[in-house]
Amino acid sequence: MRRLCSDRMVLGAGLASLSFGNAVLLPVLVPVALDVGLTEAKAGLVLSLGALMVPLTAPVWGARADRIGAARVFRIGVAGGALSFLLLALLLWAAQAGHVMGVALFLALAAARMLYGGVASAALPAAVSHLAADTDPATRTRDMSLPGTAFTLGSLAGAALALPLIPLAGPIAPLFVVAALGGLCVLLAPPPRDTASPPVTVPARTLRAIPSGLVICAALAMTGLAMAHALLPVLLQARGALSVSETVRSGAFAGLVATIATLGGIRLAARAGLGPATTALAGTLVAGAGMLALALAPGVAGTIAAVSTLSFGLGLLTPSLQAQVSLEARAQGQAAGQLSAATGLAWIVGPAAGLTLHGVFGASILPAAAALLLPFAAALAGRIAVQAR
């Protein structure tokens, strides 16, 4: 038990280091890039290229975890994240010193961020595979709350670190701290166990396997949720008649409240003691209610309350979905990788679709986005009905 608890602590710290780094990077990269001569479009493209790598590589890493062991793949993922943040920090420092600029700077930053998306994407499916192999199916939802809790706490810690450290040590200093934290997690990551059963051998052709119907339905649902989340700044500005600076402050506060609500949902899912399908369905219904409320909410306070309801439902949904997919999977790493890829793709497509359609249809797009949750809810209800027989 002590070994498993230690493993969980290191897994959580490794995953937290990745979200920690992203929380630090977002407020650092764009202003520093603009200061050294890059355009907003190029800075945004650096971030987008990294995100695009996740759905392309996560399934491959997940299947790799089944073949060579989750602990090895987890180390690779966290090491890739740490190296990416270190390269980004060094490149931005060199740019401020005038050693690299223009197209060369853009290409180097893009490559460093693509390294993150292409290699750090290994960490989540490997961690889920490791947890699935070490935990009882009866407590799978509770155990699968670890990744969501780690990512959420990492995001909060990243914001908390950036605020005091940037004025003291400059805007790039937090990235060096993130890289050091990731390197420490690599050193402490759980080693392969000689006593454990060998990893499942997965034929190479399964790397091209089609995701399960549940994962496809989950991707649709996550797309709808991402569409709603992307509209938050637009809705706050319109409903509160806010200036740009007021919108930024209100959006930051709303994001903090929503993150805390997500963490609350994750912790409730871990302690509720319900089956994963039941908990996931409850989270889907709560998130859908939050999306409908977001379409009708009056003023800034109502909008923040609605998005917090949505986020609480998302917190309930995330670990229970991972648990349900794990229980149905024949190869844990592959299934976790496919789910990670589906979720990543949803959070790429959803914001672009939501903002584009909102410009045409306004807030009425939110009920349509909520309808994307219906196939997923139906799939979960079907599983609950089968289990009840």
Side-chain angles (χ1 to χ4, degrees):
M1 178 61 71
R2 179 177 296 177
R3 174 72 259 178
L4 180 56
C5 291
S6 175
D7 286 358
R8 287 180 177 175
M9 291 177 61
V10 176
L11 289 173
L15 294 174
S17 73
L18 299 178
S19 62
F20 186 106
N22 285 321
V24 168
L25 179 66
L26 291 177
V28 168
L29 177 63
V30 175
V32 175
L34 294 177
D35 183 58
V36 297
L38 293 184
T39 64
E40 292 182 2
K42 287 182 178 179
L45 187 57
V46 167
L47 296 173
S48 297
L49 288 172
L52 286 170
M53 293 298 294
V54 174
L56 296 176
T57 58
V60 178
W61 284 117
R64 189 71 174 165
D66 290 323
R67 302 180 71 183
I68 68 172
R72 291 186 178 92
V73 174
F74 179 78
R75 271 201 176 109
I76 292 170
V78 177
L83 179 59
S84 171
F85 290 123
L86 177 60
L87 290 175
L88 288 168
L90 291 173
L91 286 168
L92 292 174
W93 173 81
Q96 287 186 325
H99 299 310
V100 60
M101 59 191 67
V103 175
L105 174 62
F106 167 70
L107 292 177
L109 289 172
R113 191 58 182 167
M114 289 174 72
L115 171 66
Y116 176 89
V119 181
S121 59
L124 179 57
V128 170
S129 178
H130 189 88
L131 290 169
D134 275 320
T135 56
D136 192 292
T139 61
R140 191 63 53 84
T141 301
R142 183 191 68 194
D143 300 318
M144 290 300 172
S145 68
L146 173 64
T149 301
F151 276 126
T152 304
L153 292 177
S155 297
L156 292 173
L161 172 72
L163 287 175
L165 188 56
I166 288 175
L168 291 174
I172 302 174
L175 292 177
F176 287 107
V177 175
V178 169
L181 176 61
L184 180 62
C185 292
V186 172
L187 295 176
L188 297 177
R193 299 178 194 164
D194 296 331
T195 58
S197 58
V200 178
T201 300
V202 180
R205 65 177 181 274
T206 60
L207 296 178
R208 300 185 295 273
I210 298 174
S212 68
L214 182 63
V215 170
I216 293 173
C217 291
L220 287 174
M222 291 296 179
T223 300
L225 292 169
M227 290 172 66
H229 263 288
L231 297 181
L232 177 61
V234 179
L235 296 175
L236 286 172
Q237 187 171 32
R239 292 171 178 174
L242 304 178
S243 67
V244 173
S245 60
E246 290 171 336
T247 302
V248 171
R249 288 196 297 270
S250 297
F253 176 73
L256 176 62
V257 173
T259 300
I260 294 172
T262 301
L263 182 60
I266 292 171
R267 300 315 300 159
L268 179 59
R271 298 178 181 180
L274 302 174
T278 302
T279 308
L281 180 58
T284 303
L285 295 176
V286 171
M291 294 173 72
L292 295 176
L294 191 60
L296 304 172
V300 171
T303 301
I304 293 176
V307 81
S308 298
T309 302
L310 186 162
S311 298
F312 182 78
L314 182 61
L316 281 172
L317 168 61
T318 301
S320 50
L321 171 60
Q322 288 175 328
Q324 185 64 36
V325 170
S326 171
L327 291 173
E328 296 180 9
R330 296 180 60 185
Q332 294 294 336
Q334 182 190 51
Q338 290 174 342
L339 180 59
S340 180
T343 303
L345 184 61
W347 286 93
I348 293 171
V349 174
L355 291 169
T356 300
L357 293 173
H358 180 268
V360 179
F361 300 103
S364 61
I365 191 60
L366 285 165
L372 293 177
L373 277 63
L374 294 177
F376 182 58
L380 293 169
R383 281 160 173 77
I384 294 170
V386 169
Q387 294 167 4
R389 291 175 185 171

